[in-house]
PDB file of all heavy atoms in Angstrom:
ATOM      1  N   VAL H  20      99.254-115.992  18.749  1.00 91.00           N
ATOM      2  CA  VAL H  20      98.281-115.043  18.134  1.00 91.00           C
ATOM      3  C   VAL H  20      97.832-115.581  16.744  1.00 91.00           C
ATOM      4  O   VAL H  20      96.669-115.566  16.383  1.00 91.00           O
ATOM      5  CB  VAL H  20      98.846-113.645  18.040  1.00 91.00           C
ATOM      6  CG1 VAL H  20      98.085-112.761  17.112  1.00 91.00           C
ATOM      7  CG2 VAL H  20      98.896-113.025  19.461  1.00 91.00           C
ATOM      8  N   PRO H 179      97.009-112.680   9.419  1.00 94.00           N
ATOM      9  CA  PRO H 179      95.979-113.157  10.387  1.00 94.00           C
ATOM     10  C   PRO H 179      95.818-112.158  11.514  1.00 94.00           C
ATOM     11  O   PRO H 179      96.810-111.702  12.108  1.00 94.00           O
ATOM     12  CB  PRO H 179      96.542-114.508  10.852  1.00 94.00           C
ATOM     13  CG  PRO H 179      98.017-114.420  10.654  1.00 94.00           C
ATOM     14  CD  PRO H 179      98.207-113.579   9.425  1.00 94.00           C
ATOM     15  N   VAL H 180      94.568-111.899  11.833  1.00 93.00           N
ATOM     16  CA  VAL H 180      94.247-110.997  12.981  1.00 93.00           C
ATOM     17  C   VAL H 180      93.095-111.632  13.750  1.00 93.00           C
ATOM     18  O   VAL H 180      92.147-112.105  13.143  1.00 93.00           O
ATOM     19  CB  VAL H 180      93.857-109.607  12.445  1.00 93.00           C
ATOM     20  CG1 VAL H 180      93.355-108.732  13.618  1.00 93.00           C
ATOM     21  CG2 VAL H 180      94.998-108.932  11.764  1.00 93.00           C
ATOM     22  N   ARG H 181      93.185-111.629  15.048  1.00 92.00           N
ATOM     23  CA  ARG H 181      92.179-112.215  15.894  1.00 92.00           C
ATOM     24  C   ARG H 181      90.872-111.421  15.761  1.00 92.00           C
ATOM     25  O   ARG H 181      90.835-110.188  15.573  1.00 92.00           O
ATOM     26  CB  ARG H 181      92.661-112.249  17.338  1.00 92.00           C
ATOM     27  CG  ARG H 181      93.786-113.225  17.605  1.00 92.00           C
ATOM     28  CD  ARG H 181      94.361-113.093  18.948  1.00 92.00           C
ATOM     29  NE  ARG H 181      95.112-111.797  19.083  1.00 92.00           N
ATOM     30  CZ  ARG H 181      95.632-111.357  20.223  1.00 92.00           C
ATOM     31  NH1 ARG H 181      95.439-112.070  21.343  1.00 92.00           N
ATOM     32  NH2 ARG H 181      96.306-110.237  20.250  1.00 92.00           N
ATOM     33  N   PHE H 184      89.842-107.823  17.201  1.00 95.00           N
ATOM     34  CA  PHE H 184      90.323-106.560  16.636  1.00 95.00           C
ATOM     35  C   PHE H 184      89.381-106.014  15.537  1.00 95.00           C
ATOM     36  O   PHE H 184      89.499-104.868  15.212  1.00 95.00           O
ATOM     37  CB  PHE H 184      91.733-106.769  16.111  1.00 95.00           C
ATOM     38  CG  PHE H 184      92.765-106.926  17.222  1.00 95.00           C
ATOM     39  CD1 PHE H 184      93.024-108.181  17.739  1.00 95.00           C
ATOM     40  CD2 PHE H 184      93.419-105.833  17.756  1.00 95.00           C
ATOM     41  CE1 PHE H 184      93.927-108.323  18.805  1.00 95.00           C
ATOM     42  CE2 PHE H 184      94.287-105.946  18.817  1.00 95.00           C
ATOM     43  CZ  PHE H 184      94.562-107.195  19.325  1.00 95.00           C
ATOM     44  N   MET H 209     103.811-100.430  23.376  1.00 96.00           N
ATOM     45  CA  MET H 209     103.897-101.880  23.701  1.00 96.00           C
ATOM     46  C   MET H 209     104.954-102.469  22.802  1.00 96.00           C
ATOM     47  O   MET H 209     105.286-101.923  21.756  1.00 96.00           O
ATOM     48  CB  MET H 209     102.546-102.540  23.520  1.00 96.00           C
ATOM     49  CG  MET H 209     101.974-102.419  22.104  1.00 96.00           C
ATOM     50  SD  MET H 209     100.325-103.093  21.948  1.00 96.00           S
ATOM     51  CE  MET H 209     100.569-104.828  22.283  1.00 96.00           C
ATOM     52  N   ILE H 265      93.885-105.104  24.467  1.00 96.00           N
ATOM     53  CA  ILE H 265      94.684-104.451  23.399  1.00 96.00           C
ATOM     54  C   ILE H 265      93.777-103.879  22.305  1.00 96.00           C
ATOM     55  O   ILE H 265      93.980-102.732  21.845  1.00 96.00           O
ATOM     56  CB  ILE H 265      95.680-105.437  22.780  1.00 96.00           C
ATOM     57  CG1 ILE H 265      96.669-105.913  23.871  1.00 96.00           C
ATOM     58  CG2 ILE H 265      96.473-104.717  21.694  1.00 96.00           C
ATOM     59  CD1 ILE H 265      97.443-104.829  24.551  1.00 96.00           C
ATOM     60  N   MET H 269      94.174 -99.923  21.501  1.00 98.00           N
ATOM     61  CA  MET H 269      94.486 -99.400  20.159  1.00 98.00           C
ATOM     62  C   MET H 269      93.389 -98.445  19.654  1.00 98.00           C
ATOM     63  O   MET H 269      93.719 -97.414  19.043  1.00 98.00           O
ATOM     64  CB  MET H 269      94.613-100.568  19.189  1.00 98.00           C
ATOM     65  CG  MET H 269      95.883-101.344  19.335  1.00 98.00           C
ATOM     66  SD  MET H 269      96.049-102.601  18.046  1.00 98.00           S
ATOM     67  CE  MET H 269      97.697-103.246  18.413  1.00 98.00           C
ATOM     68  N   GLY H 280     105.948-106.787  14.438  1.00 87.00           N
ATOM     69  CA  GLY H 280     105.360-108.074  14.814  1.00 87.00           C
ATOM     70  C   GLY H 280     103.914-108.104  14.439  1.00 87.00           C
ATOM     71  O   GLY H 280     103.370-107.279  13.702  1.00 87.00           O
ATOM     72  N   ASP H 281     103.218-109.111  14.966  1.00 89.00           N
ATOM     73  CA  ASP H 281     101.805-109.290  14.616  1.00 89.00           C
ATOM     74  C   ASP H 281     100.956-108.101  15.168  1.00 89.00           C
ATOM     75  O   ASP H 281      99.843-107.909  14.676  1.00 89.00           O
ATOM     76  CB  ASP H 281     101.289-110.593  15.175  1.00 89.00           C
ATOM     77  CG  ASP H 281     101.948-111.766  14.485  1.00 89.00           C
ATOM     78  OD1 ASP H 281     101.822-111.860  13.241  1.00 89.00           O
ATOM     79  OD2 ASP H 281     102.593-112.594  15.125  1.00 89.00           O
ATOM     80  N   THR H 282     101.456-107.376  16.131  1.00 93.00           N
ATOM     81  CA  THR H 282     100.779-106.161  16.609  1.00 93.00           C
ATOM     82  C   THR H 282     100.543-105.206  15.473  1.00 93.00           C
ATOM     83  O   THR H 282      99.526-104.447  15.467  1.00 93.00           O
ATOM     84  CB  THR H 282     101.627-105.503  17.727  1.00 93.00           C
ATOM     85  OG1 THR H 282     101.830-106.395  18.760  1.00 93.00           O
ATOM     86  CG2 THR H 282     100.906-104.274  18.234  1.00 93.00           C
ATOM     87  N   CYS H 283     101.420-105.192  14.471  1.00 95.00           N
ATOM     88  CA  CYS H 283     101.292-104.245  13.352  1.00 95.00           C
ATOM     89  C   CYS H 283      99.985-104.545  12.586  1.00 95.00           C
ATOM     90  O   CYS H 283      99.249-103.630  12.265  1.00 95.00           O
ATOM     91  CB  CYS H 283     102.486-104.321  12.454  1.00 95.00           C
ATOM     92  SG  CYS H 283     104.036-103.884  13.241  1.00 95.00           S
ATOM     93  N   ALA H 284      99.734-105.795  12.324  1.00 95.00           N
ATOM     94  CA  ALA H 284      98.533-106.174  11.580  1.00 95.00           C
ATOM     95  C   ALA H 284      97.270-105.869  12.438  1.00 95.00           C
ATOM     96  O   ALA H 284      96.248-105.448  11.879  1.00 95.00           O
ATOM     97  CB  ALA H 284      98.539-107.663  11.219  1.00 95.00           C
ATOM     98  N   GLU H 285      97.387-106.018  13.741  1.00 96.00           N
ATOM     99  CA  GLU H 285      96.236-105.695  14.601  1.00 96.00           C
ATOM    100  C   GLU H 285      95.983-104.193  14.608  1.00 96.00           C
ATOM    101  O   GLU H 285      94.777-103.788  14.510  1.00 96.00           O
ATOM    102  CB  GLU H 285      96.540-106.185  16.019  1.00 96.00           C
ATOM    103  CG  GLU H 285      96.616-107.747  16.094  1.00 96.00           C
ATOM    104  CD  GLU H 285      97.220-108.292  17.373  1.00 96.00           C
ATOM    105  OE1 GLU H 285      97.798-107.465  18.109  1.00 96.00           O
ATOM    106  OE2 GLU H 285      97.102-109.495  17.615  1.00 96.00           O
ATOM    107  N   ALA H 286      97.013-103.412  14.657  1.00 97.00           N
ATOM    108  CA  ALA H 286      96.795-101.934  14.581  1.00 97.00           C
ATOM    109  C   ALA H 286      96.205-101.509  13.243  1.00 97.00           C
ATOM    110  O   ALA H 286      95.357-100.607  13.179  1.00 97.00           O
ATOM    111  CB  ALA H 286      98.107-101.226  14.838  1.00 97.00           C
ATOM    112  N   ARG H 287      96.660-102.153  12.166  1.00 96.00           N
ATOM    113  CA  ARG H 287      96.095-101.824  10.836  1.00 96.00           C
ATOM    114  C   ARG H 287      94.653-102.271  10.732  1.00 96.00           C
ATOM    115  O   ARG H 287      93.871-101.636   9.999  1.00 96.00           O
ATOM    116  CB  ARG H 287      96.969-102.493   9.776  1.00 96.00           C
ATOM    117  CG  ARG H 287      98.374-101.916   9.711  1.00 96.00           C
ATOM    118  CD  ARG H 287      99.166-102.518   8.502  1.00 96.00           C
ATOM    119  NE  ARG H 287     100.545-102.146   8.548  1.00 96.00           N
ATOM    120  CZ  ARG H 287     101.044-100.983   8.109  1.00 96.00           C
ATOM    121  NH1 ARG H 287     100.211-100.093   7.670  1.00 96.00           N
ATOM    122  NH2 ARG H 287     102.341-100.741   8.150  1.00 96.00           N
ATOM    123  N   ALA H 288      94.248-103.330  11.425  1.00 96.00           N
ATOM    124  CA  ALA H 288      92.852-103.774  11.367  1.00 96.00           C
ATOM    125  C   ALA H 288      91.970-102.725  12.034  1.00 96.00           C
ATOM    126  O   ALA H 288      90.806-102.551  11.623  1.00 96.00           O
ATOM    127  CB  ALA H 288      92.699-105.088  12.109  1.00 96.00           C
ATOM    128  N   ILE H 289      92.474-102.006  13.006  1.00 96.00           N
ATOM    129  CA  ILE H 289      91.705-100.986  13.709  1.00 96.00           C
ATOM    130  C   ILE H 289      91.861 -99.618  13.017  1.00 96.00           C
ATOM    131  O   ILE H 289      90.998 -98.732  13.125  1.00 96.00           O
ATOM    132  CB  ILE H 289      92.100-100.907  15.181  1.00 96.00           C
ATOM    133  CG1 ILE H 289      91.654-102.215  15.872  1.00 96.00           C
ATOM    134  CG2 ILE H 289      91.580 -99.662  15.892  1.00 96.00           C
ATOM    135  CD1 ILE H 289      92.033-102.308  17.317  1.00 96.00           C
ATOM    136  N   GLY H 290      92.897 -99.454  12.190  1.00 96.00           N
ATOM    137  CA  GLY H 290      93.095 -98.212  11.452  1.00 96.00           C
ATOM    138  C   GLY H 290      93.901 -97.196  12.223  1.00 96.00           C
ATOM    139  O   GLY H 290      93.524 -96.018  12.311  1.00 96.00           O
ATOM    140  N   ARG H 291      95.068 -97.649  12.768  1.00 97.00           N
ATOM    141  CA  ARG H 291      95.966 -96.721  13.504  1.00 97.00           C
ATOM    142  C   ARG H 291      97.329 -96.704  12.861  1.00 97.00           C
ATOM    143  O   ARG H 291      97.863 -97.723  12.498  1.00 97.00           O
ATOM    144  CB  ARG H 291      96.061 -97.157  14.978  1.00 97.00           C
ATOM    145  CG  ARG H 291      94.739 -97.063  15.739  1.00 97.00           C
ATOM    146  CD  ARG H 291      94.241 -95.623  15.825  1.00 97.00           C
ATOM    147  NE  ARG H 291      92.986 -95.526  16.612  1.00 97.00           N
ATOM    148  CZ  ARG H 291      91.765 -95.544  16.055  1.00 97.00           C
ATOM    149  NH1 ARG H 291      91.679 -95.643  14.740  1.00 97.00           N
ATOM    150  NH2 ARG H 291      90.691 -95.405  16.824  1.00 97.00           N
ATOM    151  N   ARG H 346      91.446-102.421   8.163  1.00 90.00           N
ATOM    152  CA  ARG H 346      91.323-103.639   7.371  1.00 90.00           C
ATOM    153  C   ARG H 346      90.036-104.379   7.833  1.00 90.00           C
ATOM    154  O   ARG H 346      89.623-104.283   8.979  1.00 90.00           O
ATOM    155  CB  ARG H 346      92.572-104.507   7.562  1.00 90.00           C
ATOM    156  CG  ARG H 346      93.774-103.954   6.854  1.00 90.00           C
ATOM    157  CD  ARG H 346      94.977-104.848   7.036  1.00 90.00           C
ATOM    158  NE  ARG H 346      96.112-104.369   6.318  1.00 90.00           N
ATOM    159  CZ  ARG H 346      97.342-104.772   6.506  1.00 90.00           C
ATOM    160  NH1 ARG H 346      97.599-105.656   7.456  1.00 90.00           N
ATOM    161  NH2 ARG H 346      98.355-104.304   5.809  1.00 90.00           N
ATOM    162  N   PRO H 400     103.333-109.303   8.999  1.00 31.00           N
ATOM    163  CA  PRO H 400     103.956-109.044  10.250  1.00 31.00           C
ATOM    164  C   PRO H 400     105.045-110.012  10.698  1.00 31.00           C
ATOM    165  O   PRO H 400     105.752-110.541   9.902  1.00 31.00           O
ATOM    166  CB  PRO H 400     102.808-109.032  11.240  1.00 31.00           C
ATOM    167  CG  PRO H 400     101.731-109.779  10.595  1.00 31.00           C
ATOM    168  CD  PRO H 400     102.106-109.962   9.144  1.00 31.00           C
TER     169      PRO H 400
END
Side-chain angles (χ1 to χ4, degrees):
V20 163
V180 173
R181 291 171 289 174
F184 290 87
M209 58 187 296
I265 301 301
M269 286 185 175
D281 293 302
T282 302
C283 299
E285 294 167 348
R287 293 184 188 280
I289 291 177
R291 295 297 181 265
R346 288 180 175 165

